[in-house]
Amino acid sequence: GPVAISVAGRNAELRPSVAHAYGCRAVDDGKLLRLSVLREETRQLLADITANGEVATVYSDVRSFRSVQIKGHGARIVPSDAADVARRAAHYRITAEELVALGYPSALAHGYFSVPARADFVTIEFAPRDVFRQTPGPGAGDKLAEGTTLDQSPDKKAGVA
């Protein structure tokens, strides 16, 4: 969907490394998530993930700012495949179109995803471990119970789309 995606890691001194992800897809019935990142923008993040396999991702709906954080383990860097490329293109299109529909200038909406013509993407693959509500306001930071869907979260009940 139309979401902004951030991915973070940490080094041995617990110093964070953060980057923008350009798309995400679930594989193996949701047992793994794959995020596309630009190698040049993520050198420290990739080094941190390679060192310890820990990762945290945040997905924020561009319409409502409803956000979730997914923490994972066993993260590894793998080459992007054709399905990653297709998901990245679809994510770009869907999110940019939504930003334009929300009133953002087209150049700004499309610029959010602008990358060099010969961008070197890699994929971070990891097993989700915990999911947390991150929408600003009451309940931010609460861990979601296993089996809870986003539509069942208190944010939805409170009328937040």
Side-chain angles (χ1 to χ4, degrees), residues 17-155:
S17 52
V18 181
H20 173 76
Y22 292 83
C24 177
R25 71 183 179 102
V27 297
D28 196 16
D29 292 325
K31 292 180 182 141
L32 295 173
L33 293 179
R34 292 173 61 96
L35 291 107
S36 294
V37 297
L38 277 173
R39 185 184 308 272
E40 189 60 34
E41 290 179 353
T42 58
R43 295 214 183 270
Q44 185 60 53
L45 174 66
L46 297 176
D48 292 344
I49 288 171
T50 299
N52 61 44
E54 296 294 316
V55 67
T57 58
V58 175
Y59 307 82
S60 297
D61 185 301
V62 300
R63 296 170 297 234
S64 67
F65 299 109
R66 279 186 67 212
S67 302
V68 296
Q69 179 186 65
I70 300 175
K71 291 186 178 185
H73 61 280
R76 62 192 188 108
I77 312 312
V78 298
S80 298
D81 63 22
D84 294 322
V85 173
R87 175 61 67 183
R88 192 170 61 237
H91 180 257
Y92 168 89
R93 180 183 46 76
I94 291 165
T95 305
E97 286 172 1
E98 185 64 25
L99 289 170
V100 170
L102 289 169
Y104 288 86
S106 181
L108 180 63
H110 291 277
Y112 180 70
F113 295 98
S114 99
V115 296
R118 296 183 187 263
D120 182 15
F121 283 96
V122 296
T123 298
I124 299 169
E125 181 179 83
F126 70 97
R129 182 180 60 224
D130 297 307
V131 180
F132 299 87
R133 186 177 300 107
Q134 290 298 331
T135 304
D142 289 352
K143 186 175 179 180
L144 295 177
E146 190 171 328
T148 301
T149 66
L150 294 180
D151 289 342
Q152 295 170 327
S153 72
D155 290 342

Side-chain angles (χ1 to χ4, degrees), residues 9-17:
R10 55 132 180 106
N11 66 14
E13 292 79 37
L14 304 180
R15 196 164 312 132
S17 52

